[in-house]
Amino acid sequence: MRHLLTYGGAVATETPSPEGPLRMLLPQILPALVVGVGSGLLFLGVSELADQLQDLMWNNVPDALGIGRYSALWIIVMLTATGIAVGLIVWKAPGHAGPDPAMEGLGGPPMPVIVVPGLLLASALALAGGVSLGPEGPTIGAAIALTYWVGHRFRPAVPGAFWVVLGVSGTLGALFGTPVAAALVISEALTSQPGRGSLWDRLFAPLLAAGAGATTTQLGASPSFDMGLPPLDNPGFEDLLAALVLAPLAALLGLLASYAFPYLHRAFTRLGHPMVILPLGGLLLGLLGALGGHLTLFKGLTETRDIVEEIGTLGSGELAKLAVVKLAALLVAAACGFRGGRVFPAVFVGAAFGLCAQALVTEINPTVAVSAGVLGILLATTRQGWVSLFVAAVVAASPAMFSLLCVASLPAWLVVTGRPFLQLDEHGKALR
C-alpha cells in the first residue's frame, strides 16, 4: 500500500498552496464523493451478481436435480466446475483477469481498464462457487483502475496517486461499511511519506471517499462484521490473560500457512497453464469442502456467524477441523490463482480457532476467544496492524474489548514481525 502513495511521482494529495489549505481541499470534495459512491455501487453490483449465481448454483440446480445442496459429490463438482470457468476467463480474458493475486495486497498499481470486466467476472464466479476468498482484492483493483482511468482523462494534471488512494479508500469504506478501516490503512501508509500540511489535510479526500462508499453500501445492503457475540462490558484480568495467550497462538497458526504459501504457489505455477492450474485447484478445494462441510466454503462471514450461533454445541475437535480445513482452502485458493482477497476467510479461521480454544477451556469468554483469534490470524496473514485490530474489534462489537486487543496485539506482533505473510513478490518469494 505504501508505494501507491507515490504512484506517478507525487504524494497522495496535493501539497498546500500559498493561499492556504482550504483552496486545496475544496476541489477534492466532488471527486472524492463520486469515487466513493462509485466504489460502493461497484461492490454492491459484484456482491449481487455473486449472490444470484450462488443461489442458482447451490440451491436451484441441485434442487432441480434432486441432489443434496451440500452433499460431498455436489461440493466437489461445483468447485471443480468453478475452477474450469475461472480458468477459461484467466486464459482468454484481456489481461488474463488481472495480475497474480498471490502478489497483490490491499491495492496495487492501476491495471488497464480493459482488464476490469474479466477480473470482476472471475471474482464473482469464485465467490458464488464456494471458493474460500473474499471480494476485497478484485474490487479494490477494479476501483483503482476505473478511478485512475476516469480521473486521468478529466483531470490529467492531478497526480496519479490521488486517484489511486481515492479508489482504495472508497472501496475499503464500501467493504467494511465504515470509513474507519480506510482511515487506518491510509494513515499507516502516510507515516512513511513526506508531505506538507497536516495529516488531516492529507486524509481529507480519502476519508470523504471512504465515507461515501460506506454510506452507499449501508443504504444498499447494511454490511456488518458483528457476529452476534455476547457483549463484554467489564473485562477482567482473566480476559486479558486469555487474549494475551490466544492472539500469539493464532498468529503462529497463520505463520505456518505463510511459510507454506510460496511453496504451494510454486507447485501450482510449474503446471504452466491456467486451464490446468485452476481446475486442479478447484478439485482440491472441492475435496477440502467435502471434508470440512459447507461451513468451510465461500468467503466466510455468514459461516462465521453460523459457528458463533453454535457455541456450546460444536466440540473442540470439530472446530479445530473447521479452522484447519478453511486455512488450507484459503492457501490453495490464493496460491492457484482464483481472484479474491484473504481477509474475509481469515476471519473465519480466527473465529474457529478461538472457539476451539474456548471449547477446551470453557472459562474463556467466547467474545475474547473469537476476537483474539481473529486478531492473531490477520496479523500473521496480512501484516496490516491497524486493519487487524479494527476487524477484531468490530467482530467483538464490544468497545471494552478494544483496549484488551491493543495489548494482545503486542505479543502477537512480536511473533509475526519480520516473518513471511500471505503475499509474494514478483519472484514468487514471500514478503516479510
Side-chain angles (χ1 to χ4, degrees), residues 185-259:
V185 170
I186 302 301
S187 297
E188 187 174 8
L190 282 173
T191 58
S192 64
Q193 298 298 325
R196 293 158 51 195
S198 72
L199 175 64
W200 283 97
D201 283 346
R202 302 169 76 192
L203 282 175
F204 179 81
L207 268 179
L208 188 56
T215 302
T216 301
T217 53
Q218 286 287 356
L219 291 173
S222 300
S224 175
F225 274 74
D226 184 354
M227 298 299 155
L229 288 161
L232 180 64
D233 297 324
N234 296 298
F237 176 77
E238 67 280 4
D239 298 313
L240 176 60
L241 180 61
L244 287 170
V245 171
L246 290 179
L249 287 177
L252 283 172
L253 177 63
L255 272 184
L256 290 176
S258 299
Y259 275 109

Side-chain angles (χ1 to χ4, degrees), residues 46 50 82 86 90 96-107 111 118-128 130-142 175 261 278 285 298-299 329-346 381-382 422-423:
V46 172
T82 300
V86 175
V90 172
H96 303 290
D100 185 345
M103 301 177 184
E104 296 292 305
L106 292 177
M111 65 185 74
L119 173 63
L120 293 180
L121 181 57
S123 172
L125 284 172
L127 290 170
V131 175
S132 292
L133 292 172
E136 64 274 18
T139 310
I140 290 174
L175 285 164
F261 187 49
L278 283 153
L285 290 175
F298 307 108
K299 65 184 179 183
L330 169 57
L331 281 176
V332 170
C336 74
F338 280 103
R339 274 41 181 173
R342 274 88 81 182
V343 172
F344 286 70
T381 55
T382 70
L422 289 189
Q423 189 176 338

Side-chain angles (χ1 to χ4, degrees), residues 227 229 304 308 311 350-351 354-355 365-375 395:
M227 298 299 155
L229 288 161
T304 302
V308 167
I311 291 176
L355 289 175
N365 185 288
T367 301
V368 174
V370 169
S371 55
V374 169
L375 174 64
V395 163

Side-chain angles (χ1 to χ4, degrees), residues 246 316 319 352-362 364 369:
L246 290 179
S316 58
L319 289 162
F353 175 86
L355 289 175
C356 175
Q358 195 272 335
L360 289 170
V361 184
T362 54
I364 298 176

Side-chain angles (χ1 to χ4, degrees), residues 308-323:
V308 167
E309 290 175 358
E310 298 295 324
I311 291 176
T313 60
L314 292 175
S316 58
E318 180 66 20
L319 289 162
K321 183 180 80 169
L322 291 175

Side-chain angles (χ1 to χ4, degrees), residues 395-415:
V395 163
S398 180
M401 275 298 303
F402 189 71
S403 59
L404 250 65
L405 292 171
C406 285
V407 177
S409 70
L410 302 179
W413 185 256
L414 291 177
V415 170

